[in-house]
PDB file of all heavy atoms in Angstrom:
ATOM      1  N   VAL A 204     -41.576 -34.067  -8.154  1.00 95.00           N
ATOM      2  CA  VAL A 204     -41.419 -35.508  -8.713  1.00 95.00           C
ATOM      3  C   VAL A 204     -40.409 -35.635  -9.616  1.00 95.00           C
ATOM      4  O   VAL A 204     -39.670 -34.737  -9.985  1.00 95.00           O
ATOM      5  CB  VAL A 204     -42.847 -35.852  -9.424  1.00 95.00           C
ATOM      6  CG1 VAL A 204     -43.932 -35.809  -8.413  1.00 95.00           C
ATOM      7  CG2 VAL A 204     -43.172 -34.817 -10.437  1.00 95.00           C
ATOM      8  N   ALA A 205     -40.052 -36.953 -10.090  1.00 94.00           N
ATOM      9  CA  ALA A 205     -38.919 -37.144 -10.839  1.00 94.00           C
ATOM     10  C   ALA A 205     -38.949 -36.939 -12.349  1.00 94.00           C
ATOM     11  O   ALA A 205     -38.075 -37.226 -13.105  1.00 94.00           O
ATOM     12  CB  ALA A 205     -38.451 -38.629 -10.623  1.00 94.00           C
ATOM     13  N   THR A 206     -40.109 -36.402 -12.783  1.00 95.00           N
ATOM     14  CA  THR A 206     -40.237 -36.190 -14.178  1.00 95.00           C
ATOM     15  C   THR A 206     -39.359 -35.107 -14.708  1.00 95.00           C
ATOM     16  O   THR A 206     -38.855 -34.236 -13.998  1.00 95.00           O
ATOM     17  CB  THR A 206     -41.758 -35.736 -14.560  1.00 95.00           C
ATOM     18  OG1 THR A 206     -42.040 -34.498 -13.728  1.00 95.00           O
ATOM     19  CG2 THR A 206     -42.590 -36.847 -14.070  1.00 95.00           C
ATOM     20  N   ARG A 207     -39.117 -35.072 -16.054  1.00 93.00           N
ATOM     21  CA  ARG A 207     -38.215 -34.142 -16.723  1.00 93.00           C
ATOM     22  C   ARG A 207     -38.759 -32.719 -16.511  1.00 93.00           C
ATOM     23  O   ARG A 207     -38.091 -31.729 -16.338  1.00 93.00           O
ATOM     24  CB  ARG A 207     -38.077 -34.539 -18.200  1.00 93.00           C
ATOM     25  CG  ARG A 207     -36.960 -33.524 -18.872  1.00 93.00           C
ATOM     26  CD  ARG A 207     -36.717 -34.102 -20.252  1.00 93.00           C
ATOM     27  NE  ARG A 207     -36.343 -35.504 -20.211  1.00 93.00           N
ATOM     28  CZ  ARG A 207     -34.971 -35.777 -19.949  1.00 93.00           C
ATOM     29  NH1 ARG A 207     -34.080 -34.804 -19.739  1.00 93.00           N
ATOM     30  NH2 ARG A 207     -34.635 -36.963 -20.014  1.00 93.00           N
ATOM     31  N   ASN A 208     -39.966 -32.488 -16.803  1.00 94.00           N
ATOM     32  CA  ASN A 208     -40.608 -31.257 -16.736  1.00 94.00           C
ATOM     33  C   ASN A 208     -41.751 -31.092 -15.469  1.00 94.00           C
ATOM     34  O   ASN A 208     -42.471 -32.103 -15.230  1.00 94.00           O
ATOM     35  CB  ASN A 208     -41.491 -30.913 -17.970  1.00 94.00           C
ATOM     36  CG  ASN A 208     -40.556 -30.947 -19.155  1.00 94.00           C
ATOM     37  OD1 ASN A 208     -39.567 -30.294 -19.175  1.00 94.00           O
ATOM     38  ND2 ASN A 208     -40.942 -31.720 -20.132  1.00 94.00           N
ATOM     39  N   ALA A 209     -41.563 -30.035 -14.698  1.00 96.00           N
ATOM     40  CA  ALA A 209     -42.457 -29.785 -13.612  1.00 96.00           C
ATOM     41  C   ALA A 209     -43.786 -29.325 -14.027  1.00 96.00           C
ATOM     42  O   ALA A 209     -43.907 -28.790 -15.149  1.00 96.00           O
ATOM     43  CB  ALA A 209     -41.765 -28.849 -12.605  1.00 96.00           C
ATOM     44  N   VAL A 210     -44.774 -29.432 -13.188  1.00 96.00           N
ATOM     45  CA  VAL A 210     -46.030 -28.928 -13.451  1.00 96.00           C
ATOM     46  C   VAL A 210     -46.355 -27.698 -12.611  1.00 96.00           C
ATOM     47  O   VAL A 210     -46.173 -27.744 -11.504  1.00 96.00           O
ATOM     48  CB  VAL A 210     -47.204 -30.025 -13.101  1.00 96.00           C
ATOM     49  CG1 VAL A 210     -48.575 -29.436 -13.395  1.00 96.00           C
ATOM     50  CG2 VAL A 210     -46.959 -31.308 -13.916  1.00 96.00           C
ATOM     51  N   HIS A 211     -46.722 -26.639 -13.364  1.00 96.00           N
ATOM     52  CA  HIS A 211     -47.114 -25.303 -12.630  1.00 96.00           C
ATOM     53  C   HIS A 211     -45.704 -24.808 -11.951  1.00 96.00           C
ATOM     54  O   HIS A 211     -45.721 -24.718 -10.714  1.00 96.00           O
ATOM     55  CB  HIS A 211     -48.160 -25.486 -11.720  1.00 96.00           C
ATOM     56  CG  HIS A 211     -48.689 -24.156 -11.155  1.00 96.00           C
ATOM     57  ND1 HIS A 211     -48.321 -23.740  -9.981  1.00 96.00           N
ATOM     58  CD2 HIS A 211     -49.598 -23.384 -11.584  1.00 96.00           C
ATOM     59  CE1 HIS A 211     -48.922 -22.568  -9.653  1.00 96.00           C
ATOM     60  NE2 HIS A 211     -49.673 -22.364 -10.704  1.00 96.00           N
ATOM     61  N   ASP A 212     -44.687 -24.572 -12.734  1.00 97.00           N
ATOM     62  CA  ASP A 212     -43.449 -24.154 -12.123  1.00 97.00           C
ATOM     63  C   ASP A 212     -42.800 -22.933 -12.837  1.00 97.00           C
ATOM     64  O   ASP A 212     -41.564 -22.880 -13.020  1.00 97.00           O
ATOM     65  CB  ASP A 212     -42.505 -25.248 -12.089  1.00 97.00           C
ATOM     66  CG  ASP A 212     -41.556 -25.199 -11.021  1.00 97.00           C
ATOM     67  OD1 ASP A 212     -41.476 -24.158 -10.299  1.00 97.00           O
ATOM     68  OD2 ASP A 212     -40.509 -25.966 -11.064  1.00 97.00           O
ATOM     69  N   ARG A 213     -43.511 -22.018 -13.491  1.00 97.00           N
ATOM     70  CA  ARG A 213     -43.032 -20.768 -14.223  1.00 97.00           C
ATOM     71  C   ARG A 213     -42.439 -19.787 -13.203  1.00 97.00           C
ATOM     72  O   ARG A 213     -43.033 -19.557 -12.074  1.00 97.00           O
ATOM     73  CB  ARG A 213     -44.108 -20.259 -14.978  1.00 97.00           C
ATOM     74  CG  ARG A 213     -43.779 -18.912 -15.715  1.00 97.00           C
ATOM     75  CD  ARG A 213     -42.755 -19.082 -16.804  1.00 97.00           C
ATOM     76  NE  ARG A 213     -43.106 -20.001 -17.768  1.00 97.00           N
ATOM     77  CZ  ARG A 213     -43.744 -19.641 -18.855  1.00 97.00           C
ATOM     78  NH1 ARG A 213     -43.983 -18.367 -19.098  1.00 97.00           N
ATOM     79  NH2 ARG A 213     -43.891 -20.555 -19.766  1.00 97.00           N
ATOM     80  N   THR A 214     -41.377 -19.265 -13.494  1.00 96.00           N
ATOM     81  CA  THR A 214     -40.787 -18.192 -12.753  1.00 96.00           C
ATOM     82  C   THR A 214     -40.332 -16.973 -13.560  1.00 96.00           C
ATOM     83  O   THR A 214     -40.031 -17.213 -14.725  1.00 96.00           O
ATOM     84  CB  THR A 214     -39.698 -18.602 -11.792  1.00 96.00           C
ATOM     85  OG1 THR A 214     -39.112 -17.583 -11.032  1.00 96.00           O
ATOM     86  CG2 THR A 214     -38.517 -19.000 -12.728  1.00 96.00           C
ATOM     87  N   LYS A 215     -40.570 -15.957 -13.022  1.00 97.00           N
ATOM     88  CA  LYS A 215     -40.011 -14.517 -13.703  1.00 97.00           C
ATOM     89  C   LYS A 215     -39.185 -13.821 -12.679  1.00 97.00           C
ATOM     90  O   LYS A 215     -39.640 -13.614 -11.585  1.00 97.00           O
ATOM     91  CB  LYS A 215     -41.188 -13.732 -14.288  1.00 97.00           C
ATOM     92  CG  LYS A 215     -41.942 -14.391 -15.355  1.00 97.00           C
ATOM     93  CD  LYS A 215     -43.112 -13.412 -15.890  1.00 97.00           C
ATOM     94  CE  LYS A 215     -43.893 -14.191 -16.934  1.00 97.00           C
ATOM     95  NZ  LYS A 215     -44.923 -13.159 -17.619  1.00 97.00           N
ATOM     96  N   GLN A 216     -37.935 -13.491 -13.014  1.00 96.00           N
ATOM     97  CA  GLN A 216     -37.101 -12.899 -11.995  1.00 96.00           C
ATOM     98  C   GLN A 216     -36.303 -11.718 -12.700  1.00 96.00           C
ATOM     99  O   GLN A 216     -35.892 -11.852 -13.834  1.00 96.00           O
ATOM    100  CB  GLN A 216     -36.003 -13.859 -11.431  1.00 96.00           C
ATOM    101  CG  GLN A 216     -36.648 -15.094 -10.788  1.00 96.00           C
ATOM    102  CD  GLN A 216     -35.608 -16.136 -10.345  1.00 96.00           C
ATOM    103  OE1 GLN A 216     -34.596 -15.853 -10.077  1.00 96.00           O
ATOM    104  NE2 GLN A 216     -36.112 -17.454 -10.515  1.00 96.00           N
ATOM    105  N   TYR A 217     -36.382 -10.545 -11.942  1.00 96.00           N
ATOM    106  CA  TYR A 217     -35.679  -9.429 -12.334  1.00 96.00           C
ATOM    107  C   TYR A 217     -34.530  -8.993 -11.303  1.00 96.00           C
ATOM    108  O   TYR A 217     -34.919  -8.949 -10.097  1.00 96.00           O
ATOM    109  CB  TYR A 217     -36.689  -8.229 -12.510  1.00 96.00           C
ATOM    110  CG  TYR A 217     -37.995  -8.567 -13.222  1.00 96.00           C
ATOM    111  CD1 TYR A 217     -39.000  -9.225 -12.613  1.00 96.00           C
ATOM    112  CD2 TYR A 217     -38.117  -8.212 -14.442  1.00 96.00           C
ATOM    113  CE1 TYR A 217     -40.181  -9.546 -13.223  1.00 96.00           C
ATOM    114  CE2 TYR A 217     -39.305  -8.507 -15.181  1.00 96.00           C
ATOM    115  CZ  TYR A 217     -40.456  -9.243 -14.531  1.00 96.00           C
ATOM    116  OH  TYR A 217     -41.418  -9.451 -15.200  1.00 96.00           O
ATOM    117  N   ARG A 218     -33.515  -8.612 -11.859  1.00 96.00           N
ATOM    118  CA  ARG A 218     -32.374  -8.114 -10.906  1.00 96.00           C
ATOM    119  C   ARG A 218     -31.669  -7.010 -11.499  1.00 96.00           C
ATOM    120  O   ARG A 218     -31.418  -6.953 -12.723  1.00 96.00           O
ATOM    121  CB  ARG A 218     -31.323  -9.289 -10.665  1.00 96.00           C
ATOM    122  CG  ARG A 218     -31.800 -10.427  -9.803  1.00 96.00           C
ATOM    123  CD  ARG A 218     -30.802 -11.435  -9.568  1.00 96.00           C
ATOM    124  NE  ARG A 218     -31.392 -12.563  -8.891  1.00 96.00           N
ATOM    125  CZ  ARG A 218     -31.989 -13.638  -9.417  1.00 96.00           C
ATOM    126  NH1 ARG A 218     -32.063 -13.725 -10.732  1.00 96.00           N
ATOM    127  NH2 ARG A 218     -32.429 -14.615  -8.672  1.00 96.00           N
ATOM    128  N   ALA A 219     -31.336  -6.000 -10.733  1.00 97.00           N
ATOM    129  CA  ALA A 219     -30.602  -4.787 -11.164  1.00 97.00           C
ATOM    130  C   ALA A 219     -29.701  -4.333 -10.089  1.00 97.00           C
ATOM    131  O   ALA A 219     -29.940  -4.596  -8.887  1.00 97.00           O
ATOM    132  CB  ALA A 219     -31.658  -3.708 -11.492  1.00 97.00           C
ATOM    133  N   PHE A 220     -28.575  -3.859 -10.517  1.00 96.00           N
ATOM    134  CA  PHE A 220     -27.497  -3.285  -9.585  1.00 96.00           C
ATOM    135  C   PHE A 220     -26.852  -2.083 -10.110  1.00 96.00           C
ATOM    136  O   PHE A 220     -26.668  -2.022 -11.442  1.00 96.00           O
ATOM    137  CB  PHE A 220     -26.481  -4.351  -9.330  1.00 96.00           C
ATOM    138  CG  PHE A 220     -25.326  -3.983  -8.432  1.00 96.00           C
ATOM    139  CD1 PHE A 220     -25.535  -4.043  -7.109  1.00 96.00           C
ATOM    140  CD2 PHE A 220     -24.096  -3.639  -8.978  1.00 96.00           C
ATOM    141  CE1 PHE A 220     -24.501  -3.552  -6.205  1.00 96.00           C
ATOM    142  CE2 PHE A 220     -23.184  -3.262  -8.193  1.00 96.00           C
ATOM    143  CZ  PHE A 220     -23.290  -3.202  -6.766  1.00 96.00           C
ATOM    144  N   GLY A 221     -26.574  -1.181  -9.315  1.00 96.00           N
ATOM    145  CA  GLY A 221     -25.842   0.015  -9.652  1.00 96.00           C
ATOM    146  C   GLY A 221     -24.648   0.383  -8.665  1.00 96.00           C
ATOM    147  O   GLY A 221     -24.852   0.234  -7.514  1.00 96.00           O
ATOM    148  N   TYR A 222     -23.622   0.965  -9.246  1.00 95.00           N
ATOM    149  CA  TYR A 222     -22.463   1.338  -8.335  1.00 95.00           C
ATOM    150  C   TYR A 222     -22.029   2.720  -8.862  1.00 95.00           C
ATOM    151  O   TYR A 222     -21.754   2.763 -10.033  1.00 95.00           O
ATOM    152  CB  TYR A 222     -21.312   0.313  -8.522  1.00 95.00           C
ATOM    153  CG  TYR A 222     -20.082   0.576  -7.813  1.00 95.00           C
ATOM    154  CD1 TYR A 222     -19.797   0.064  -6.507  1.00 95.00           C
ATOM    155  CD2 TYR A 222     -19.051   1.493  -8.357  1.00 95.00           C
ATOM    156  CE1 TYR A 222     -18.562   0.388  -5.826  1.00 95.00           C
ATOM    157  CE2 TYR A 222     -17.932   1.686  -7.817  1.00 95.00           C
ATOM    158  CZ  TYR A 222     -17.662   1.259  -6.577  1.00 95.00           C
ATOM    159  OH  TYR A 222     -16.462   1.505  -5.957  1.00 95.00           O
ATOM    160  N   LEU A 223     -21.813   3.654  -7.963  1.00 95.00           N
ATOM    161  CA  LEU A 223     -21.307   4.914  -8.295  1.00 95.00           C
ATOM    162  C   LEU A 223     -20.201   5.213  -7.303  1.00 95.00           C
ATOM    163  O   LEU A 223     -20.501   5.134  -6.078  1.00 95.00           O
ATOM    164  CB  LEU A 223     -22.316   5.879  -8.275  1.00 95.00           C
ATOM    165  CG  LEU A 223     -23.338   6.012  -9.471  1.00 95.00           C
ATOM    166  CD1 LEU A 223     -24.543   6.991  -9.126  1.00 95.00           C
ATOM    167  CD2 LEU A 223     -22.787   6.249 -10.808  1.00 95.00           C
ATOM    168  N   SER A 224     -19.115   5.730  -7.629  1.00 93.00           N
ATOM    169  CA  SER A 224     -17.934   6.115  -6.813  1.00 93.00           C
ATOM    170  C   SER A 224     -17.405   7.357  -7.183  1.00 93.00           C
ATOM    171  O   SER A 224     -17.005   7.414  -8.379  1.00 93.00           O
ATOM    172  CB  SER A 224     -16.867   4.939  -6.759  1.00 93.00           C
ATOM    173  OG  SER A 224     -15.925   5.293  -5.852  1.00 93.00           O
ATOM    174  N   ASP A 225     -17.250   8.345  -6.268  1.00 94.00           N
ATOM    175  CA  ASP A 225     -16.743   9.619  -6.496  1.00 94.00           C
ATOM    176  C   ASP A 225     -15.481   9.847  -5.690  1.00 94.00           C
ATOM    177  O   ASP A 225     -15.464   9.838  -4.456  1.00 94.00           O
ATOM    178  CB  ASP A 225     -17.721  10.688  -6.126  1.00 94.00           C
ATOM    179  CG  ASP A 225     -17.362  12.187  -6.469  1.00 94.00           C
ATOM    180  OD1 ASP A 225     -16.369  12.148  -7.380  1.00 94.00           O
ATOM    181  OD2 ASP A 225     -17.836  13.215  -5.987  1.00 94.00           O
ATOM    182  N   ILE A 226     -14.316   9.898  -6.422  1.00 93.00           N
ATOM    183  CA  ILE A 226     -12.990  10.036  -5.665  1.00 93.00           C
ATOM    184  C   ILE A 226     -12.898  11.538  -5.242  1.00 93.00           C
ATOM    185  O   ILE A 226     -12.720  12.316  -6.122  1.00 93.00           O
ATOM    186  CB  ILE A 226     -11.887   9.608  -6.515  1.00 93.00           C
ATOM    187  CG1 ILE A 226     -12.013   8.126  -6.854  1.00 93.00           C
ATOM    188  CG2 ILE A 226     -10.576   9.844  -5.919  1.00 93.00           C
ATOM    189  CD1 ILE A 226     -10.996   7.641  -7.724  1.00 93.00           C
ATOM    190  N   LEU A 227     -12.959  11.723  -3.997  1.00 94.00           N
ATOM    191  CA  LEU A 227     -12.942  13.166  -3.388  1.00 94.00           C
ATOM    192  C   LEU A 227     -11.562  13.661  -3.398  1.00 94.00           C
ATOM    193  O   LEU A 227     -11.314  14.992  -3.598  1.00 94.00           O
ATOM    194  CB  LEU A 227     -13.626  13.150  -2.029  1.00 94.00           C
ATOM    195  CG  LEU A 227     -14.987  12.580  -1.993  1.00 94.00           C
ATOM    196  CD1 LEU A 227     -15.519  12.510  -0.545  1.00 94.00           C
ATOM    197  CD2 LEU A 227     -15.951  13.253  -2.838  1.00 94.00           C
ATOM    198  N   SER A 228     -10.619  12.870  -3.172  1.00 92.00           N
ATOM    199  CA  SER A 228      -9.231  13.277  -3.004  1.00 92.00           C
ATOM    200  C   SER A 228      -8.319  11.959  -3.142  1.00 92.00           C
ATOM    201  O   SER A 228      -8.800  10.866  -3.393  1.00 92.00           O
ATOM    202  CB  SER A 228      -8.847  13.911  -1.591  1.00 92.00           C
ATOM    203  OG  SER A 228      -9.026  13.028  -0.492  1.00 92.00           O
ATOM    204  N   ASP A 229      -6.999  12.330  -2.888  1.00 91.00           N
ATOM    205  CA  ASP A 229      -6.108  11.048  -3.065  1.00 91.00           C
ATOM    206  C   ASP A 229      -6.370   9.992  -1.980  1.00 91.00           C
ATOM    207  O   ASP A 229      -5.923   8.864  -1.953  1.00 91.00           O
ATOM    208  CB  ASP A 229      -4.610  11.473  -3.010  1.00 91.00           C
ATOM    209  CG  ASP A 229      -4.204  12.145  -4.276  1.00 91.00           C
ATOM    210  OD1 ASP A 229      -4.943  12.059  -5.265  1.00 91.00           O
ATOM    211  OD2 ASP A 229      -3.122  12.800  -4.236  1.00 91.00           O
ATOM    212  N   THR A 230      -7.014  10.487  -0.751  1.00 93.00           N
ATOM    213  CA  THR A 230      -7.192   9.567   0.311  1.00 93.00           C
ATOM    214  C   THR A 230      -8.597   9.325   0.699  1.00 93.00           C
ATOM    215  O   THR A 230      -8.903   8.709   1.597  1.00 93.00           O
ATOM    216  CB  THR A 230      -6.510  10.341   1.500  1.00 93.00           C
ATOM    217  OG1 THR A 230      -7.112  11.531   1.779  1.00 93.00           O
ATOM    218  CG2 THR A 230      -4.942  10.392   1.378  1.00 93.00           C
TER     219      THR A 230
END
Side-chain angles (χ1 to χ4, degrees):
V204 294
T206 57
R207 184 174 302 278
N208 299 309
V210 178
H211 189 264
D212 202 5
R213 174 66 59 91
T214 183
K215 296 181 179 180
Q216 302 174 35
Y217 311 81
R218 293 182 183 85
F220 176 80
Y222 173 99
L223 292 170
S224 177
D225 186 16
I226 297 178
L227 306 177
S228 70
D229 288 346
T230 58

